[in-house]
């Protein structure tokens, strides 16, 4: 009698989680779309070139999938690593949270959803997110440099690019320094209270993700693909 009852309880819990997820997703979607001027949106669609518009939509759909693959490559392997599709879904949830909640809450949402089931998991995920930001910053700086060499840009662009390059240098420098000093910092973290020390140690593991075997190449290639998809999406929308 206990086994069937346990199965019913588990199934009920799964339906409750599904319903709660759909409700939260619906609320976030409503918050994101509540200020859209639908009449203007329909008028723009009526004048659009649908081939280019479809291409831009494909790029929009492909970009999160590629980001999910990059995140999967950055996270350490093993039984605790979620699958690529689950990471892509969590990434989409985090992006939606960034739209409706201030202060970049999406990154904290991602770290909680992935790291809640393992000790120090949130630190590990936040470390990989820091590496993501560094990779995206290097790619964006490369695009800005390419534009500066090929297109006449306004004067303010140089000042903004220098400020961005300075911020990026700090992020990249932090990632490199933490990766290089992972051993001594890991030893120091063991002196901290277990919970805090585990969080710091896992964070250092996440920051040092690019030093893992077979991680750098897919991370770099997927970063380039993400930004190429972004450029393709914007260019297609411009032509549409």
């Amino acid at each position: 009698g206990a086994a069937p009852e346990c199965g019913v309880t588990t199934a009920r819990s799964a339906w409750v989680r599904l319903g709660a997820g759909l409700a939260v997703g619906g609320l976030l979607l409503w918050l994101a779309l509540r200020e859209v001027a639908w009449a203007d949106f329909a008028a723009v669609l009526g004048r659009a070139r649908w081939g280019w518009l479809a291409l831009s939509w494909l790029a929009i759909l492909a970009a999160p999938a590629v980001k999910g693959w990059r995140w999967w490559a950055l996270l350490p392997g093993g039984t605790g690593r979620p699958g690529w599709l689950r990471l892509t879904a969590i990434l989409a949830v985090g992006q939606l949270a960034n739209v409706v909640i201030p202060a970049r809450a999406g990154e904290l949402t991602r770290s909680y959803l992935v790291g809640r089931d393992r000790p120090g998991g949130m630190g590990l995920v936040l470390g990989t997110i820091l590496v993501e930001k560094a990779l995206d910053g290097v790619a964006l700086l490369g695009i800005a440099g390419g534009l500066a060499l090929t297109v006449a840009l306004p004067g303010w662009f140089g000042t903004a690019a220098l400020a961005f390059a300075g911020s990026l240098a700090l992020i990249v420098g932090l990632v490199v320094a933490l990766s290089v000093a992972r051993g001594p910092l890991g030893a120091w973290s063991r002196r901290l209270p277990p919970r805090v020390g585990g969080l710091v140690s896992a964070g250092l593991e996440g920051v040092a993700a690019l030093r893992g075997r077979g991680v750098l190449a897919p991370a770099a290639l997927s970063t380039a693909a993400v930004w190429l998809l972004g450029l393709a999406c914007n260019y297609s929308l411009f032509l549409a």
Side-chain angles (χ1 to χ4, degrees):
E5 184 176 333
C6 180
V8 171
T9 303
T10 302
R12 187 179 302 158
S13 299
W15 281 107
V16 169
R17 288 196 300 270
L18 177 61
L22 290 174
V24 172
L27 176 62
L28 292 175
L29 187 61
W30 176 78
L31 289 172
L33 300 178
R34 60 180 172 169
E35 296 183 1
V36 173
W38 292 106
D40 295 340
F41 179 72
V44 170
L45 283 183
R47 300 190 300 267
R49 299 162 69 181
W50 283 90
W52 288 110
L53 197 59
L55 184 61
S56 70
W57 286 344
L58 287 174
I60 290 172
L61 292 174
V66 177
K67 288 182 178 180
W69 180 58
R70 177 179 66 177
W71 195 17
W72 181 86
L74 289 174
L75 287 169
T79 55
R81 178 171 64 175
W84 163 66
L85 287 177
R86 176 169 170 76
L87 288 175
T88 301
I90 291 174
L91 185 68
V93 171
Q95 290 176 334
L96 187 57
N98 278 335
V99 172
V100 298
I101 305 175
R104 305 296 295 179
E107 276 68 23
L108 292 176
T109 302
R110 289 167 57 190
S111 65
Y112 170 74
L113 290 175
V114 174
R116 59 184 172 178
D117 295 329
R118 58 185 297 175
M122 287 188 66
L124 172 68
V125 177
L126 287 173
T128 61
I129 291 174
L130 182 62
V131 175
E132 282 183 0
K133 301 306 178 187
L135 290 170
D136 285 334
V138 171
L140 184 57
L141 191 62
I143 293 172
L147 288 174
L149 293 175
T150 57
V151 180
L153 298 172
W156 58 263
F157 182 85
T159 303
L162 285 175
F164 175 76
S167 301
L168 176 62
L170 290 176
I171 295 175
V172 173
L174 178 62
V175 169
V176 172
L178 291 176
S179 299
V180 171
R182 180 185 172 189
L185 289 175
W188 169 77
S189 70
R190 288 192 286 273
R191 303 176 185 174
L192 300 173
R195 188 167 184 176
V196 177
L199 192 67
V200 172
S201 178
L204 291 171
E205 183 182 2
V207 170
L210 291 178
R211 300 182 65 183
R213 188 173 184 179
V215 174
L216 180 59
L221 289 174
S222 56
T223 299
V226 165
W227 284 93
L228 287 174
L229 285 168
L231 291 173
C233 175
N234 290 327
Y235 186 66
S236 300
L237 285 175
F238 176 76
L239 294 177

